[in-house]
Amino acid sequence: MQIQIAIDGPVGAGKSTIAKECAGRLGIVYMDTGALYRAIGVWCKENGTDAYDEDAVAAVLPKIALEIKLISGVQRIIINSGDITDRIRTPDASMLASKVSSYGAVRTFLLDLQRDFAAKNSVIMDGRDIGTVILPNADVKIFLAADPRERAKRRYDELIAKGSDVNFDDVLADLEKRDRDDSSRTHAPLKQADDAILLDTTGYTFDESVERIMEIIKTRF
Ligand code: DC
């Protein structure tokens, strides 16, 4: 039986780390859909296309052959045969991703890729529109939320651990801007699906969040 689990929510709600852990426990694949938008934003920048120019990005999409590969169970994003995965986690890549993700042409370009992947694998997919647009019939839909300052603190700690030179106020401001932009865009905005379960992880440890989600998933199977 193919399983589809959708986890949506704002920046830094812990979607990816929690979804990865739950996928490991369930023995199914984790797919990070934000990585696709990040890859397109970074590819545009590296190849001389202005990511802030919607028409220019739409025009260049036919030149992009994007593949998702699983290497030892870990997702890699390949564009035109080049692996871009290690270059998509910077603060700049986050803002580029948020920008290109607001373009209808980019969302259409990535729609079938995500649905095909979910049709071939039992998955936990995380993103902004998985429960609303990509997998409207998912078996389980969860919307993860948390207080913005707590989310910013988690993101700040991650960046510092990676050796980035960032300050907390900038991380908080970027996060609030991205949430605003992601929620207010016309195409597939960040929004809780009507049939999604809301889980606010403010004050939860990582383990508590994982346990809560595993409980929700288990009630459905
Ligand atoms: O989850 P993330 O931070 O890697 O996502 C980067 C950006 O991509 C985010 O600001 C919004 C966009 N995104 C989206 O629009 N839809 C998704 N399913 C996933 C991400």
Side-chain angles (χ1 to χ4, degrees), residues 8 11 15 32-35 37-38 89 94 97-98 101-102 107 114 126-130 134 155 178 182 185 188:
D8 291 300
V11 178
K15 299 183 298 292
D32 165 8
T33 64
Y37 299 92
R38 289 171 177 271
R89 294 285 151 208
S94 302
S98 185
S101 74
S102 68
R107 303 208 75 87
Q114 294 172 81
D126 86 29
R128 305 293 189 285
D129 63 338
I130 308 305
I134 306 294
R155 185 47 56 97
R178 267 213 291 153
D182 294 345
R185 68 185 178 217

Side-chain angles (χ1 to χ4, degrees), residues 77-90:
I77 307 293
I78 317 295
I79 292 196
N80 298 345
S81 310
D83 189 331
I84 196 164
T85 319
D86 294 333
R87 306 198 294 282
I88 61 174
R89 294 285 151 208
T90 61

Side-chain angles (χ1 to χ4, degrees), residues 177-198:
K177 172 167 172 35
R178 267 213 291 153
D179 282 350
R180 247 189 339 268
D181 292 350
D182 294 345
S183 308
S184 62
R185 68 185 178 217
T186 314
H187 307 287
L190 165 66
K191 168 158 128 354
Q192 182 180 342
D194 293 338
D195 52 352
I197 294 171
L198 173 65

